[in-house]
Amino acid sequence: FFRYCAIFVMASRSLMCGAAALVGVASSSFGDSRQQHLEAKFFTGGKVQLEHAISLNHDTKLFRFKLPAGKEYNVPVSSCLSCELVYKGQRFRRHYTPVNPNGSKGYVDLLVKLYPGGMMTPLMWSMKPGDKMSFKYAEKDTWRPSKYDTVGMLAGGVGITPMLQIIREVVTNPYDRTKIKLLFINKTEDDIVLRHELDRLAMEYPETLEVIYLLTRPGPDWTGEKGPIDAEKIRRYMPSPNRPTKVYVCGPHGFYHTLCGIGNSNITYWTKCKSPQQPSVHTYDSQMNEDSLLGRMGYSLSQVCVF
């Protein structure tokens, strides 16, 4: 009797192990199949072709790049594109956050401001339809729904692009209860890009999104906030550093210097060298200086995210 029981137990264990193995194989196959589907559907990097560029104002253009046939734009929040151009044997790279929403089929839109003394933007502005640029996805910060009750955003000029990506994610996710306060700084009213989209989102989701426009060179008819960004305006509109929160910062060189005490952390310059795997690199420090405006106001390094 005991002999037959032992045989039965051993047989049962063999059957269970075999079933588990089959389940594991099935799960693995499903996972591999899903991954292959995602890779087939979404474009994860490579060369893209410029379709057209549209001037939005005197120094800002919207560049539309064509994705390969059947591909979609879809990236995690918050991510950006690491874009690269080669000019006279030198490689130039800059991070841009697309302004088109996830799920866009066949294209990627980049909002680019011309900096005459810059390393990358003059090259982009010289591009013609059909010219190609390389890019790949780069993750900047991991967005976690409802991690904070309220987050703040300080955007200058085209620095609005990563903010828009997060805003769209929050307002379209019914399970994300985060409230957003955006202070958008520009020189003149004509410099405010994506204003129609921001106003639309603020009107549709008033409980989630508050948008404040600030002009440093306002016209006589401007009734909104005026003057330079300072501690008083940050206290008025941004969440307090005395509670769990996050403040996102993105803008031009002077913007980073004023708020965070650093240079533009997103520009990296590659020089031509013998080993492509180990290029010579010059990059700015990406950490907030504790003696900066935000640092002196009590915001810690963990509370500030620089795009």
Side-chain angles (χ1 to χ4, degrees), residues 41 43 45 47-48 66-72 105-107 135:
K41 185 177 182 181
F43 187 56
K47 285 192 174 182
V48 291
K66 293 174 61 176
L67 297 182
K71 298 290 186 178
E72 290 184 14
K105 296 182 179 181
Y107 71 93
F135 75 68

Side-chain angles (χ1 to χ4, degrees), residues 19 58 60 73 84 92 100-101 104 112-113 116 121 126 231 298 302:
H58 66 285
T60 306
Y73 165 76
E84 182 180 280
F92 298 85
N100 54 298
S104 301
V112 181
K113 180 175 181 176
T121 56
S126 68
S302 63

Side-chain angles (χ1 to χ4, degrees), residues 82-100:
S82 179
C83 304
E84 182 180 280
L85 286 171
V86 179
Y87 179 70
K88 292 185 177 180
Q90 295 180 333
R91 292 186 291 167
F92 298 85
R93 185 176 294 176
R94 179 77 189 265
H95 291 91
Y96 294 102
T97 304
V99 295
N100 54 298

Side-chain angles (χ1 to χ4, degrees), residues 173-185:
N173 182 354
Y175 302 103
D176 195 335
R177 298 181 298 277
T178 310
K179 297 184 184 302
I180 299 172
K181 293 188 175 183
L182 166 65
L183 183 56
F184 190 14
I185 300 96

Side-chain angles (χ1 to χ4, degrees), residues 8-210:
F8 175 77
V9 170
M10 292 176 65
S12 299
R13 286 178 177 174
S14 297
L15 287 171
M16 291 174 65
C17 291
L22 287 173
V23 171
V25 170
S27 299
S28 176
S29 298
F30 175 77
D32 292 343
S33 175
R34 183 174 183 276
Q35 182 62 30
Q36 290 171 2
H37 169 72
L38 291 177
E39 290 178 355
K41 185 177 182 181
F42 302 132
F43 187 56
T44 57
K47 285 192 174 182
V48 291
Q49 188 178 77
L50 178 65
E51 184 173 314
H52 61 251
I54 302 172
S55 294
L56 301 184
N57 57 36
H58 66 285
D59 63 359
T60 306
K61 283 185 178 182
L62 183 72
F63 291 79
R64 172 160 292 188
F65 291 91
K66 293 174 61 176
L67 297 182
K71 298 290 186 178
E72 290 184 14
Y73 165 76
N74 201 311
V75 297
V77 176
S78 57
S79 300
C80 62
L81 301 183
S82 179
C83 304
E84 182 180 280
L85 286 171
V86 179
Y87 179 70
K88 292 185 177 180
Q90 295 180 333
R91 292 186 291 167
F92 298 85
R93 185 176 294 176
R94 179 77 189 265
H95 291 91
Y96 294 102
T97 304
V99 295
N100 54 298
N102 273 344
S104 301
K105 296 182 179 181
Y107 71 93
V108 166
D109 286 340
L110 301 182
L111 195 66
V112 181
K113 180 175 181 176
L114 175 65
Y115 293 98
M119 296 179 286
M120 181 78 169
T121 56
L123 296 178
M124 289 192 67
W125 276 56
S126 68
M127 293 181 70
K128 297 178 176 59
D131 289 348
K132 293 184 178 181
M133 180 175 69
S134 298
F135 75 68
K136 61 181 179 180
Y137 294 129
E139 187 171 304
K140 297 291 291 181
D141 185 63
T142 302
W143 177 258
R144 293 181 174 85
S146 304
K147 181 177 181 180
Y148 305 105
D149 291 336
T150 306
V151 298
M153 294 181 173
L154 297 169
V158 293
I160 189 62
T161 57
M163 313 304 182
L164 180 60
Q165 186 188 65
I166 295 175
I167 290 170
R168 281 177 173 154
E169 172 69 15
V170 173
V171 300
T172 57
N173 182 354
Y175 302 103
D176 195 335
R177 298 181 298 277
T178 310
K179 297 184 184 302
I180 299 172
K181 293 188 175 183
L182 166 65
L183 183 56
F184 190 14
I185 300 96
N186 289 274
K187 292 179 181 178
T188 70
E189 194 167 2
D190 290 337
D191 293 324
I192 304 176
V193 293
L194 302 175
R195 185 176 184 178
H196 176 76
E197 176 70 358
L198 292 170
D199 288 345
R200 181 188 69 81
L201 292 170
M203 185 174 295
E204 289 185 16
Y205 305 95
E207 300 299 319
T208 301
L209 175 63
E210 180 183 2

